[in-house]
Amino acid sequence: MFVGHYGPALAGPRFVKAVPVWALCVAVQFLDYLWGAFVYFGIEHVRIEPGFTAVSPLDLYHMPWTHSLLMALVWSVVLGFVWSLIARSQKRAGGILIGVAVFSHWLVDLLVHVPDLALWPGGPKVGFGLWNNAPIALTLEFGVLAAGLLLYVSATKAKGAFGKISPWIFGVLLVALYSVSFFQPPPATAQEFGPMAILSYTLVAVLAWLLCDRVREAK
Ligand SMILES: [Zn+2]
């Protein structure tokens, strides 16, 4: 999933006001940030198989260190702890929200991935495989994003006129980015997916700062 991951990120300010959306956007993709780096450096592996699932051509056959349940929990605790050190004023709640956001990635992946998510490195693999059903996968993807946007808009208020429409612009840009990636041919080598993913997730975090954090505030 790509844009569906941002639903939980946008819902965050509904629960802990002080955590910025850009940080939550990094958190919900943190496992994929690591995956991007690990794939690039050959620690984890992916193959491009056109038609592998209806929605994604990636055969994610080896990602024990970023996408096993055990390691997802470990990374959630690590990033939550780091955030609570960086953002001391948010006390423990900020760190917990960031940790939950990191773990939400695994839960959302569990719905759409074919069984490629190990329970622990080398352990049995799980995945409900909704990527094999494009209408359901895409409805879920956009539905979760829309629900997150609604929660975000209801939990915050605009600082000026632009802030009234900017979260919706953010939503539209996410869908546009997703559509471009959907119809673009995959890169020549699977290794290139790593830096590409990291770049696009960072772009989304910058957009979140521009269109959410800078122009809206907690109610
Ligand atoms: Zn992932």
Side-chain angles (χ1 to χ4, degrees):
M1 240 196 224
F2 176 64
V3 295
H5 285 299
Y6 293 108
L10 284 159
R14 177 84 181 68
F15 302 98
V16 184
K17 291 186 164 75
V19 182
V21 178
W22 71 260
L24 288 161
C25 286
V26 172
V28 296
Q29 297 289 17
F30 187 62
L31 299 181
D32 274 10
Y33 267 100
L34 294 173
W35 173 82
F38 285 19
V39 161
Y40 186 73
F41 291 112
I43 301 165
E44 294 191 334
H45 301 89
V46 56
R47 277 188 284 256
I48 299 170
E49 290 272 353
F52 182 67
T53 68
V55 179
S56 159
L58 299 185
D59 177 5
L60 299 154
Y61 65 99
H62 182 254
M63 42 179 194
W65 307 113
T66 61
H67 279 70
S68 64
L69 172 60
L70 178 69
M71 290 310 294
L73 287 167
V74 169
W75 293 120
S76 303
V77 172
V78 167
L79 199 70
F81 182 68
V82 169
W83 183 259
S84 63
L85 291 181
I86 298 171
R88 280 173 192 268
S89 62
Q90 293 164 13
K91 308 249 167 49
R92 207 173 286 167
I96 291 173
L97 183 68
I98 289 288
V100 169
V102 174
F103 190 65
S104 77
H105 182 97
W106 195 86
L107 293 177
V108 172
D109 272 3
L110 177 67
L111 294 177
V112 292
H113 280 220
V114 295
D116 55 23
L117 303 162
L119 293 181
W120 58 86
K125 291 180 175 177
V126 291
F128 300 152
L130 288 181
W131 266 343
N132 283 321
N133 186 324
I136 292 186
L138 294 178
T139 306
L140 196 74
E141 183 111 40
F142 297 128
V144 172
L145 175 67
L149 261 176
L150 285 171
L151 280 173
Y152 174 70
V153 170
S154 72
T156 55
K157 62 175 193 279
K159 288 186 198 167
F162 182 60
K164 290 195 176 118
I165 53 161
S166 60
W168 306 109
I169 298 177
F170 181 57
V172 169
L173 286 176
L174 278 180
V175 174
L177 263 175
Y178 181 70
S179 312
V180 169
S181 72
F182 198 76
F183 293 110
Q184 236 179 15
T189 68
Q191 209 190 10
E192 283 173 42
F193 264 111
M196 259 177 56
I198 289 176
L199 209 71
S200 51
Y201 299 151
T202 304
L203 174 64
V204 172
V206 172
L207 287 173
W209 177 72
L210 285 172
L211 298 171
C212 297
D213 299 318
R214 224 170 44 92
V215 287
R216 292 181 71 88
E217 60 194 350
K219 259 186 191 163

